[in-house]
Amino acid sequence: MSSEALVVRLREIRGAERALLVEFLGCLAEMDRRKLYADLGYPSLFAYCEQVLGLTSSSTYRRITCAQ
C-alpha cells in the first residue's frame, strides 16, 4: 500500500469509527433504558460493559456518561 493510500484509508476508517461509536452509544443508552443488563444477570450496565464487552473501567465510565 502506498503512503498516499494509507493516509486515505486511515481517514476512511476514522470516519467509520465515529459512526460506529455513535451507534454503540445509542445501543448502550437503549440497553440502559430497558435495564436489559439486569435481565442478563448483571447488577449494572457498568458491570455488563466491563465483564461482557471487555471495556476498562475508565472507558466504561466515559461511554455510559456519553450515552446518558
Side-chain angles (χ1 to χ4, degrees), residues 1 3 10 16 20-21 23 26-28 32 38 42 45 47 50-51 58 61-62:
M1 178 182 293
S3 296
L10 281 171
L20 285 172
L21 181 56
E23 183 178 356
C27 289
L28 204 58
D32 192 33
Y42 295 90
L45 182 58
E50 285 188 314
Q51 295 171 25
S58 60
Y61 174 79
R62 287 191 306 271

Side-chain angles (χ1 to χ4, degrees), residues 30-50:
E30 184 62 17
M31 177 175 248
D32 192 33
R33 187 187 71 73
R34 295 182 189 188
K35 307 291 186 235
L36 183 55
Y37 56 83
D39 294 342
L40 297 171
Y42 295 90
S44 66
L45 182 58
F46 200 94
Y48 177 84
C49 287
E50 285 188 314

Side-chain angles (χ1 to χ4, degrees), residues 6 13 51:
L6 178 59
I13 291 169
Q51 295 171 25

